[in-house]
């Protein structure tokens, strides 16, 4: 599978939708309109050629098996990014002393 343009913005939006439990809640949290979030998720699904959410059922959005795999790795990427930023900030603060 060749992935093109699955950029961090789309992956980050996917992460926030999963963490918030839906598009509406993610929209409020990250201050992006619901249509923009839906568009980013649709583009990501198109690029990956996989559905990431099961949109049927009373429970709202549920991750598909591919969505679960993607979320596991995007979550790791997000944690790594946060750790990197913390490390850089710590290093910068230590250098100022």
């Amino acid at each position: 599978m060749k992935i093109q343009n699955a950029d961090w913005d789309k992956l980050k939006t996917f992460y926030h939708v999963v963490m918030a439990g839906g598009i509406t809640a993610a929209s409020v949290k990250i201050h992006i309109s619901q249509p923009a979030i839906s568009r980013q998720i649709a583009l990501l699904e198109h690029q990956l050629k996989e559905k990431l959410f099961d949109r049927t059922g009373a429970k709202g959005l549920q991750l598909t098996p591919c969505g679960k795999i993607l979320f596991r790795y995007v979550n790791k990427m997000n944690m790594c990014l946060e750790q990197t930023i913390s490390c850089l900030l710590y290093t910068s603060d230590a250098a100022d002393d």
Side-chain angles (χ1 to χ4, degrees):
M1 172 188 328
K2 186 175 181 181
I3 301 173
Q4 295 179 355
N5 301 319
D7 59 63
W8 181 240
D9 286 337
K10 290 181 193 80
L11 294 172
K12 190 167 51 172
T13 298
F14 169 75
Y15 170 84
H16 284 295
V17 169
V18 174
M19 292 301 292
I23 292 173
T24 302
S27 175
V28 171
K29 181 168 178 53
I30 62 176
H31 308 288
I32 298 176
S33 71
Q34 291 178 27
I37 289 175
S38 294
R39 199 167 33 255
Q40 284 191 357
I41 296 299
L43 283 169
L44 185 58
E45 288 177 327
H46 177 74
Q47 290 163 347
L48 298 175
K49 296 178 178 47
E50 293 288 346
K51 288 293 180 193
L52 300 173
F53 294 100
D54 179 6
R55 292 164 175 84
T56 60
K59 293 185 179 182
L61 294 178
Q62 298 293 313
L63 288 171
T64 63
C66 288
K68 289 177 183 177
I69 292 168
L70 181 63
F71 179 73
R72 183 174 43 220
Y73 286 99
V74 170
N75 190 37
K76 288 179 183 181
M77 291 167 60
N78 191 56
M79 288 189 301
C80 185
L81 180 61
E82 288 176 2
Q83 290 172 344
T84 301
I85 291 168
S86 293
C87 181
L88 292 172
L89 291 173
Y90 176 78
T91 301
S92 176
D93 288 345
D96 290 342
D97 290 342

